[in-house]
Amino acid sequence: MLALTGDTSATTDAQVFAPANVSQVTWNGRPVWSSRHQDGSLTFRLTGPPPLSLPALTNWKFGYESAERQPGFDDSGWITADHTSTGNPNAPGSLPVLYQDDYGFHSGDVWYRGHFTGTGKETGITLDGQGGSPAGSWSAWLNGALLGTQTSGSHTFTFPAGVARTGAGNVVAVLVHNAGHEECGAPCGSFQNPRGLRTGQLTGATTAVTWKIQGNLGGETPVDPARGPLNTGGLYGARHGWFLPGYPDSSWQNTTLPDRWSSRGLPAGVGWYRTSFDLNLPHGTDVPIGLQISDQPTYRYRAEIYVNGWLLGLYANDLGPQHMFSLPTGILNPNGHNTVAIAVTGSDAAGGGLGTVKLVPYGTYSGGVPVKQVPAPSWSQHTYGSPAQPSQVNLALSSPTQLLHGNDTLTVNGKLTNSGATSTAATQVRLAAPDGWTVSPADPIAVSALPPGGHADLQWTVHVPAGLTAGSYQVAATDLGGGTAGTATFAVPYPKIADAFSNKGISDDAQPTTGDFDGAGYSFSAQALAAAGLTPGAIVRAAGVDFTWPTATPGQPDNAPSNGQLIAVSGQGSTLGFLGASNSGSPSGTGTVFYTDGTTDTFSAGLDDFWFDPGAENTSVAAMPYVNSPTGRYDHTVRIFATTVPINPAKRVERWRCPGSVRARPAIPPPCTSSRWELPNEAPGESRERSRPSPRPSGLSPTASRKFA
């Protein structure tokens, strides 16, 4: 007898050559009829798999959290971050040391809460969040009001008017999404790049800040040894077991997908989606299954995907391109009950929500091998505490207008929502705006007590003066009784891309430390660029577009990190071009073109990593044999790239918005851009980065001026 095992995707004929004494053939343990031929071979027919359909994912439940951003949240049980030294070779930007590894939190999301008593002189805060490139990101709030969301790197926020309290306690809350440490060991050492906050320092005053930190439940002694230390981070829901089978979610809101938080008046923060489904795959079949998320890339959110309590994917809706995540058998139960939990972090008021989610077979095969289920614990109150959602009041602001020209009149809408289990007390809500702006009504708006799940709609009229400088502006509403706050952000376009330059990507060989393209002290050499034809003011022809190389002297700002800036422009053509580079990978993002007729188009653009060869979507413009480092010349070929995106040739462009979620960490001149990022099916909580000579934070970098062709 000849015993064979294997898989078939369809009915097929098979032929084997076997000794003459073989008279019987079995396939996967079952006899098959065979016939012998004159050449000594045996032929037989194998059947394929039966028809298969997978269940739709319906009956979704939704729960909102992120109470850690609220000023009244109890963080007394958190660790005080007060270290004044670190074993990490990368020096912090301020003290105390805020690296999450220094406090026993080595993977996943981490929360910080900085407490300070206002003196009236504090104008803002400089934060440097490091979560890895390009998927890492971080968000910051002041007393519950969103300051903004950034990809890995440093940013200084201006406190919105009316939110900071003088003579009273204030709380800056920061959520850092750690996508994992780099995998590069010696000699490049990038595995030592810190995660968490590298800098946390108030501006306008030297007021002391007391920092608290919270990561995964149990820290270096995780409470779930079966799933391991990389499975969860410090989200409220993760610390309370919302990702696990058996978690009691019956009190959560029913919802359908796609879902947008703006429709229910929820601000940027963290929300969870849960559902369950049963599978009964035919015996003797192998059906690899994936979970697919589809959504418009204009929505900025991150999603952590759990199946039966296991973290199986990190999804970045505005980055992509991965939309399918493998659900391995043994984690997935092919003949039983399964639970899906997806934790979504909305980067801004419009970004919160989740697109469509469905199960998709990678293929269907007759055969396979037996796979046992991996044992792992379900939810227990003893381990994770009360299953109740955090009691909180949320305040979300929105406006039909986001772009300002000066001398504008805006409508700002607000929604105060009770997400708790008990009624709130009556309160008042006041809207504050920057100096010179007027708000009507100027007095606080009275709000009656809200029952659980109840909300109050609010509205103000805001007049914006003429003569605004380019940049972003926020108005903020404050719940005078409950203490929470919400913001709406508006933007004034930069007159030209050069006005948005903020990074010093080029240095002179004699002064290599005056440039810092990548956040770790590496910069393009002005001499090497000149040798390649890239001199100040030179016309650079690339990808069918003429660019003007920046005229800035070495050591001065010469490029704009891509972070949602609005750039005014007047032109018409079929192509929008970008010149520059990224670092620490080739992330991508979604930008917007605004036409004079009021319509818009979105585009996805990307600039590749300056350390490597171009990908399929970029053109190499110039290659330089070395780069300047903090210690001088470092011999390695670095590049400048160009890429283009199509625009409507029948319309005239008046402005465009850089991709907002890509870390356009300086490079050289383009305006903003992005690049491609893909998270393959690697170990949850890890990120991959190609070898570098030394630790370098993440970033994308645009550098050159925009042109139409």
Side-chain angles (χ1 to χ4, degrees):
M1 182 179 70
L2 177 63
L4 301 173
T5 60
D7 298 340
T8 57
S9 60
T11 299
T12 186
D13 292 324
Q15 181 182 30
V16 298
F17 291 86
N21 63 347
V22 174
S23 60
Q24 185 179 1
V25 177
T26 64
W27 180 259
N28 292 334
R30 296 183 179 182
V32 294
W33 183 87
S34 61
S35 60
R36 184 174 288 278
H37 300 273
Q38 290 182 352
D39 61 2
S41 66
L42 295 169
T43 60
F44 46 91
R45 173 155 291 190
L46 301 174
T47 60
L52 175 76
S53 63
L54 297 176
L57 298 181
T58 57
N59 301 318
W60 289 92
K61 292 282 194 173
F62 175 77
Y64 187 75
E65 47 130 306
S66 55
E68 296 93 337
R69 64 193 168 82
Q70 304 284 21
F73 180 83
D74 181 8
D75 60 17
S76 59
W78 289 17
I79 295 173
T80 299
D82 57 3
H83 295 182
T84 57
S85 63
T86 177
N88 193 298
N90 297 278
S94 63
L95 292 177
V97 178
L98 298 175
Y99 299 161
Q100 67 180 82
D101 290 281
D102 286 39
Y103 298 94
F105 304 118
H106 303 295
S107 65
D109 312 294
V110 63
W111 274 100
Y112 296 87
R113 285 171 55 85
H115 298 258
F116 69 94
T117 300
T119 65
K121 296 181 180 180
E122 298 82 10
T123 58
I125 188 167
T126 297
L127 298 166
D128 186 349
Q130 295 294 331
S133 175
S137 64
W138 55 277
S139 301
W141 293 263
L142 172 66
N143 296 331
L146 179 69
L147 299 176
T149 297
Q150 303 288 320
T151 50
S152 291
S154 179
H155 188 82
T156 298
F157 294 103
T158 299
F159 288 157
V163 178
R165 304 164 180 169
T166 300
N170 296 271
V171 177
V172 173
V174 183
L175 173 61
V176 178
H177 287 282
N178 176 6
H181 285 279
E182 286 88 357
E183 296 176 352
C184 177
C188 80
S190 64
F191 70 97
Q192 294 177 310
N193 283 356
R195 293 293 182 259
L197 282 180
R198 195 166 185 167
T199 303
Q201 197 165 35
L202 293 170
T203 59
T206 58
T207 308
V209 181
T210 300
W211 288 97
K212 308 292 289 268
I213 182 173
Q214 177 64 60
N216 64 292
L217 186 63
E220 293 179 335
T221 308
V223 298
D224 185 354
R227 295 183 177 92
L230 299 181
N231 196 60
T232 63
L235 297 181
Y236 184 95
R239 305 196 311 269
H240 289 79
W242 292 12
F243 61 98
L244 289 168
Y247 171 80
D249 59 14
S250 59
S251 64
W252 286 22
Q253 299 178 40
N254 297 317
T255 192
T256 57
L257 299 182
D259 178 51
R260 299 269 79 88
W261 296 356
S262 56
S263 65
R264 65 182 82 200
L266 292 177
V270 182
W272 290 69
Y273 296 84
R274 286 177 53 92
T275 191
S276 60
F277 62 94
D278 294 318
L279 289 176
N280 188 20
L281 302 183
H283 178 72
T285 60
D286 180 16
V287 184
I289 295 174
L291 183 144
Q292 183 181 74
I293 301 178
S294 301
D295 206 349
Q296 299 179 44
T298 51
Y299 296 115
R300 298 175 58 196
Y301 64 84
R302 301 288 191 270
E304 300 173 12
I305 302 166
Y306 293 87
V307 174
N308 294 330
W310 296 82
L311 177 64
L312 297 182
L314 303 176
Y315 173 72
N317 184 64
D318 48 343
L319 289 180
Q322 185 178 5
H323 292 266
M324 183 90 84
F325 299 85
S326 177
L327 312 182
T329 302
I331 301 298
L332 183 72
N333 189 343
N335 297 97
H337 194 64
N338 296 274
T339 299
V340 175
I342 301 177
V344 172
T345 301
S347 298
D348 51 39
L354 183 62
T356 58
V357 181
K358 64 180 180 179
L359 301 175
V360 178
Y362 289 99
T364 305
Y365 308 93
S366 178
V369 295
V371 178
K372 294 182 179 180
Q373 292 300 116
V374 180
S378 297
W379 181 85
S380 74
Q381 186 166 346
H382 174 75
T383 301
Y384 293 99
S386 170
Q389 296 182 64
S391 181
Q392 60 177 320
V393 174
N394 300 296
L395 181 53
L397 298 185
S398 63
S399 176
T401 302
Q402 283 82 45
L403 306 181
L404 302 179
H405 301 84
N407 199 28
D408 307 275
T409 299
L410 313 173
T411 297
V412 176
N413 300 307
K415 182 170 286 189
L416 189 69
T417 304
N418 180 9
S419 299
T422 59
S423 296
T424 67
T427 188
Q428 294 181 316
V429 179
R430 179 180 59 201
L431 185 74
D435 289 343
W437 298 31
T438 58
V439 175
S440 178
D443 294 329
I445 298 175
V447 178
S448 302
L450 298 175
H455 72 270
D457 292 317
L458 311 166
Q459 189 173 84
W460 296 268
T461 300
V462 178
H463 180 72
V464 181
L468 296 178
T469 58
S472 63
Y473 296 82
Q474 287 185 316
V475 298
T478 303
D479 173 6
L480 301 180
T484 191
T487 54
T489 302
F490 305 91
V492 176
Y494 289 93
K496 57 185 183 298
I497 184 60
D499 294 328
F501 287 172
S502 60
N503 175 261
K504 303 171 183 178
I506 304 173
S507 63
D508 190 280
D509 288 355
Q511 296 178 304
T513 59
T514 59
D516 187 2
F517 170 81
D518 62 355
Y522 288 81
S523 59
F524 288 91
S525 159
Q527 286 80 357
L529 289 169
L534 302 182
T535 57
I539 301 300
V540 181
R541 181 74 177 176
V545 178
D546 287 336
F547 299 90
T548 301
W549 193 254
T551 58
T553 57
Q556 297 301 312
D558 48 42
N559 71 93
S562 180
N563 195 32
Q565 302 97 319
L566 272 172
I567 311 297
V569 66
S570 179
Q572 191 167 351
S574 60
T575 301
L576 184 63
F578 302 92
L579 182 69
S582 67
N583 74 283
S584 295
S586 297
S588 70
T590 301
T592 306
V593 175
F594 299 83
Y595 300 104
T596 55
D597 65 359
T599 62
T600 62
D601 281 333
T602 59
F603 64 86
S604 179
L607 291 175
D608 285 332
D609 193 315
F610 78 120
W611 208 256
F612 302 100
D613 293 337
E617 297 176 3
N618 273 210
T619 298
S620 179
V621 175
M624 285 61 67
Y626 67 95
V627 66
N628 285 335
S629 77
T631 57
R633 172 171 172 157
Y634 186 91
D635 289 328
H636 181 89
T637 299
V638 292
R639 298 179 183 272
I640 296 295
F641 305 102
T643 190
T644 61
V645 295
I647 58 176
N648 193 327
K651 297 183 178 183
R652 189 169 187 83
V653 178
E654 66 172 354
R655 69 179 72 88
W656 62 283
R657 184 188 297 277
C658 302
S661 63
V662 183
R663 186 59 189 166
R665 244 298 196 210
I668 313 198
C672 9
T673 50
S674 38
S675 275
R676 265 182 320 163
W677 167 69
E678 179 174 3
L679 177 65
N681 288 319
E682 32 186 331
E686 295 184 344
S687 67
R688 294 206 256 189
E689 178 169 323
R690 295 169 283 185
S691 297
R692 306 250 190 219
S694 81
R696 302 171 51 246
S698 55
L700 163 74
S701 184
T703 89
S705 47
R706 89 282 166 267
K707 290 286 184 178
F708 293 101

